[in-house]
Structures are given as structure tokens and as C-alpha cells.
Amino acid sequence: MANKHKVVEVRLARGVRGRNSAVQIEFTYKRIRCKETLRGLSPVKKKDIQTAINKRASVLLSIQLGTFNYAEEFPDSPKAEIFGHILTSNLTVFDVVDMYLRQIANSKDADTIKDYRGHLNNHIGPGIGHILADNLRLSQIHSWLGDISLSNKSKNNWLSILRPALQAAKNEELITRNPLDGVPNLPIDKKPPDPFTIEEIDSILNAFTLEEAHMFYQVGFWTGLSPSERLGLKWENVDLEQHCVYIIEAIVSNKEKGPKNNFRKRKVTLLPPAEKAIRILKKTSGSSPFVFNDVDTRTRWKEEKIRGYWKPTLTKAKVRYRPGKNTRHTYASTLLSLGVPLGWVKEQMGHGNYRMLEERYARWINISPKQRQRVLKWFQGMASREHLPDEIRPFIKLISE
């Protein structure tokens, strides 16, 4: 597949292309589009081009006659392993999934394929990979999944690879049936949000010994940004004059990516504690384009390192453990409990509709009158500096009366 580097391709004949200084033929075998480079042939020599045309014609004829053997024709090709070295009668579940991952490798992100390979090598393979694919039964799949003490979400990730792999093998007539055909994913019981109280937030933030880590989680508590969104936040997307940040990118598995959906691309108004933290970081960021940086390297935090500060800090603060992503839950629940308009919270969080807020976040947090008054004063102070969205102004007027 052509990549972003300069690859020169030119059509020489039907199904024959010059690719840089080589000659490549294209054909379809078992419903899979195949491209093979012919060694020693030049795209500028008429004799070599004719040789390629003849080779392709020979391949097409043998496919039509049912005598084509990929391993014999192209022994060095990765597809030879798929089509030429495995007898259908000996095809295992591992073989089927491995073949499928090879087929989709060029249509998926490299990190995605790496994750799929991890699922195959670490879970599918050790569990049912040895079973002959044509003998696999649904009861064996259920037995395998039932013996593993991981979440249904993880198991569904494995099924999302296994199901299409088996279907692809069935379509190629390598197996006679797909035991997962029409079988839904396992049910997932979503745990309700478990936010922190205002008092717990204070205890946690006061327990951090590293200022940069303190700021990372302080911004999380008071913006609703997920950890991946905070890691991906760049100074070019921070507007302190308008007291806001723009969420354009996220860091997932230490790779720069866009937010998980278009709704998550958004403008987020900074509450005073979040803005204070970002202004402090601005003075120490150096030349890094990212807002949150490792104090040791002065480059963007690695997920695993910044996450490593979380659990010890909760232990030190004597606060019951919840994942770091619960800072986002806390932000939404706190604002809703104070009566902040639902529409504004939705926009801040990047939700596509109100259902998520109504079902998951609209719960009251017991806030002491003193702590409640402190948060409400933040909004009143923001109003006095005239950087509140219009949707919030009626709320400020209401709490000020």
C-alpha cells in the first residue's frame, strides 16, 4: 500500500504496475486482493513488462482451473503462509485469527494491530488457539471465557477479533461454520460514577509532594478533562486571556490521536483552580509544546509515570481508592449538584446528548455549607471578570440573589 513517502507508481498494463524500480502484479485470490512484486524485472524494459503480463495471465489461469498454489508461485510472500502452507483440515483457531490479522494489517492503525496481536497471543491463543477451527463449538468458547476472571469488556474485545476472523475463514470455505455467528457480546454492567467529595479533593491535592503531578490532577478535578485529554493539551490550544482551553488532541497509549469522537473536540471554560494551575505551569514549561511535562525530562508525561503518582497519594491522604479517571466524574457530579445548567455541563464534558449526564452523573454530593459556598464564589468571581458563557449567567444571578 502506498504510504506518505514518495512512492512512484505507474500502470504498465492491466493488473501490472511499476512501483519505483520494481514491477508488481495484482490479482484476486479467494476474494482477497493480492499484490506481488516480481524480482529482477524493470518497469522501463519492454521485455520485463511482457514477462510480468505473462506471469499474471498464468496466475489467473491457474486460479480459474483451481490449480493455483500460492506457496509454489510466490514462496517468499507473506500470503504464502496464509494460502499455501496450512491445510484446511489442520487449521486451528490460532491459525484463523492469525490469517485474519494479516489480511487487515494494511487497513488498521499499527497500534490497533499490535493490540489485536496481544489479545491473540495472551488470551485467545492460550485459551482456545489449539482447537481445530472447524471443530470449535460455542460451548467451548463459553467455557474458556468463564474460566477467566477479567471483565466482560475485556472478553468482548477478544470476541470482536475472534468473530470476524471465524467469519472470514467461513467465507473462504476454510471452515464450514462460525460458532459466533449471531451471538451477541457479553453484557456489561456499567458501574455508577464514584466521585470524590470536595473534602477528599482537598486532602488528595494537599498530599501530592510533586507540584507538576499536583497540577495535573487539580486540572482534572476542575475541568472534566480525561487523563488522555490532559496529556494531549498543548499551549497553542490554551487561551488564558479568554480563560479557556480547546480540546483538539489526546494521548492514548502514549500516541497522539484525536479525541474519541467529534463531540469531545470542544472549548472548556477554566474554573479558577484549573486556571491557577495552568498559569503556574506556564512559567515552568520551558520549550515543550505540551502543558503537562515530566519534571525530570521536561517533555510530555508518559501515561504510566503520571499515573504512578495517583495511588500512593490517595494512600497518603487516607482517601478510599478510585481510578484517576474519576476526577472527570467528580467535576460533572459536583457542578450538577450545585445546580449548574445541564446544557453547559454537557458542553464542558463533550457529551453528544443529555442521556449520559442524566443517567450517570446527576447525583448529589454531600457538600458542607462552607465548601458549597466556596465553589459558588468561584462562579461569582468568574462572572465579575466577565468570562462566563451566556448559559451560566442566569445561574450566577440566581445564586447571587
Side-chain angles (χ1 to χ4, degrees):
M1 182 180 71
N3 55 34
K4 293 183 179 180
H5 301 293
K6 291 196 174 181
V7 175
V8 179
E9 287 191 344
V10 58
R11 181 175 179 179
L12 303 174
R14 184 175 182 181
V16 179
R17 290 181 178 274
R19 182 179 173 85
N20 290 344
S21 60
V23 178
Q24 188 179 74
I25 63 172
E26 300 178 4
F27 56 92
T28 299
Y29 181 56
K30 291 185 178 293
R31 302 180 187 177
I32 296 177
R33 186 184 181 193
C34 304
K35 296 181 180 181
E36 294 296 342
T37 299
L38 304 181
R39 289 188 176 184
L41 300 187
S42 169
V44 298
K45 294 182 179 180
K46 291 183 179 180
K47 182 179 177 180
D48 287 354
I49 295 172
Q50 188 60 51
T51 298
I53 294 173
N54 294 341
K55 176 69 174 179
R56 181 175 183 272
S58 174
V59 168
L60 294 178
L61 179 60
S62 61
I63 291 174
Q64 185 177 359
L65 294 175
T67 59
F68 179 69
N69 185 301
Y70 217 110
E72 290 180 1
E73 294 287 351
F74 305 104
D76 297 326
S77 170
K79 286 189 172 65
E81 182 178 348
I82 297 175
F83 296 121
H85 293 168
I86 299 175
L87 297 175
T88 300
S89 59
N90 295 328
L91 198 67
T92 65
V93 172
F94 187 96
D95 294 329
V96 164
V97 179
D98 179 64
M99 288 168 55
Y100 174 71
L101 294 183
R102 290 173 183 270
Q103 292 172 20
I104 66 172
N106 287 335
S107 61
K108 298 287 185 180
D109 181 85
D111 289 333
T112 299
I113 294 296
K114 183 179 178 181
D115 288 342
Y116 289 172
R117 282 281 170 195
H119 295 325
L120 172 60
N121 295 330
N122 299 326
H123 301 288
I124 299 174
I128 56 175
H130 64 285
I131 300 174
L132 292 180
D134 216 24
N135 294 341
L136 182 65
R137 297 293 180 263
L138 184 59
S139 59
Q140 292 174 303
I141 297 174
H142 283 315
S143 177
W144 159 55
L145 295 175
D147 289 339
I148 300 174
S149 58
L150 291 177
S151 68
N152 281 0
K153 182 178 180 181
S154 294
K155 296 174 183 179
N156 284 339
N157 287 336
W158 312 335
L159 294 178
S160 68
I161 303 168
L162 184 61
R163 184 182 290 106
L166 291 169
Q167 188 59 44
K170 179 184 175 184
N171 292 343
E172 297 297 329
E173 299 181 353
L174 299 176
I175 59 176
T176 58
R177 53 188 294 280
N178 177 0
L180 284 172
D181 188 19
V183 178
N185 280 342
L186 301 172
I188 297 177
D189 294 328
K190 291 186 177 181
K191 295 181 179 180
D194 190 3
F196 296 91
T197 65
I198 299 296
E199 289 79 8
E200 286 178 322
I201 294 173
D202 286 342
S203 297
I204 293 168
L205 294 179
N206 289 334
F208 277 105
T209 56
L210 183 68
E211 184 177 49
E212 285 78 1
H214 174 119
M215 300 305 173
F216 181 82
Y217 288 102
Q218 181 164 312
V219 171
F221 277 122
W222 299 116
T223 60
L225 301 187
S226 68
S228 63
E229 290 170 343
R230 274 173 275 156
L231 288 171
L233 184 62
K234 294 180 178 178
W235 287 114
E236 65 187 45
N237 297 318
V238 174
D239 188 343
L240 290 175
E241 289 187 6
Q242 297 299 318
H243 313 282
C244 67
V245 297
Y246 296 89
I247 306 307
I248 308 296
E249 298 169 296
I251 301 295
V252 180
S253 299
N254 289 318
K255 301 287 185 180
E256 291 186 44
K257 295 185 177 182
K260 62 192 301 184
N261 56 54
N262 286 333
F263 295 110
R264 293 287 284 267
K265 292 182 179 180
R266 64 198 190 277
K267 172 185 174 182
V268 176
T269 297
L270 296 173
L271 294 184
E275 182 173 338
K276 178 181 178 181
I278 290 177
R279 286 186 180 276
I280 291 173
L281 292 171
K282 182 68 173 175
K283 298 177 181 178
T284 60
S285 64
S287 60
S288 174
F290 292 93
V291 173
F292 298 100
N293 296 287
D294 188 327
V295 66
D296 296 320
T297 65
R298 290 301 172 190
T299 59
R300 175 180 57 76
W301 280 108
K302 298 294 185 182
E303 292 180 40
E304 57 275 12
K305 188 168 183 181
I306 186 62
R307 195 167 54 235
Y309 288 97
W310 180 247
K311 189 174 181 179
T313 300
L314 263 64
T315 300
K316 181 181 178 181
K318 298 181 180 180
V319 171
R320 178 173 57 84
Y321 177 80
R322 280 92 102 193
K325 65 182 181 181
N326 281 30
T327 58
R328 179 170 164 83
H329 300 328
T330 300
Y331 172 82
S333 297
T334 301
L335 296 189
L336 291 170
S337 73
L338 293 172
V340 176
L342 198 65
W344 190 73
V345 179
K346 178 178 78 71
E347 296 300 322
Q348 290 280 105
M349 294 287 287
H351 289 311
N353 54 54
Y354 294 99
R355 181 175 60 82
M356 178 68 78
L357 289 172
E358 292 170 342
E359 292 181 359
R360 289 179 60 76
Y361 294 120
R363 60 175 289 181
W364 183 267
I365 300 176
N366 293 321
I367 303 176
S368 68
K370 182 179 179 180
Q371 299 285 11
R372 178 180 174 81
Q373 190 60 32
R374 186 182 73 178
V375 178
L376 292 178
K377 282 184 177 180
W378 289 346
F379 283 101
Q380 291 170 328
M382 291 166 67
S384 68
R385 293 192 295 274
E386 298 183 349
H387 69 270
L388 277 180
D390 291 339
E391 300 94 319
I392 292 296
R393 297 195 180 280
F395 165 73
I396 296 300
K397 182 179 179 180
L398 179 65
I399 64 173
S400 299
E401 291 177 348

